[in-house]
Amino acid sequence: MLTPVRRLPEVEALLGPARTHVIENCGHMASYERPADVADVFTTFLTSLSEH
């Protein structure tokens, strides 16, 4: 989801187990521009869900 950084706390609060993560030096196509970073973020998030 593309959300202005200033609104991330609101979105996180509304989406339950959501987490916010800003990938520095990246535009609107994070999965294309920084695929390894995006994969790391998803892996960390999904792992954290399975631990609860």
Side-chain angles (χ1 to χ4, degrees):
M1 172 186 332
L2 296 175
T3 303
V5 173
R6 71 180 189 284
R7 305 278 316 263
L8 290 176
E10 282 177 66
V11 173
E12 188 173 334
L14 293 171
L15 295 178
R19 303 287 184 276
T20 56
H21 186 87
V22 176
I23 297 177
E24 299 294 332
N25 302 313
C26 189
H28 292 249
M29 302 268 308
S31 58
Y32 178 76
E33 296 174 43
R34 306 281 294 274
D37 292 336
V38 172
D40 288 344
V41 170
F42 277 119
T43 299
T44 300
F45 175 69
L46 294 172
T47 301
S48 75
L49 292 179
S50 68
E51 293 172 352
H52 289 85

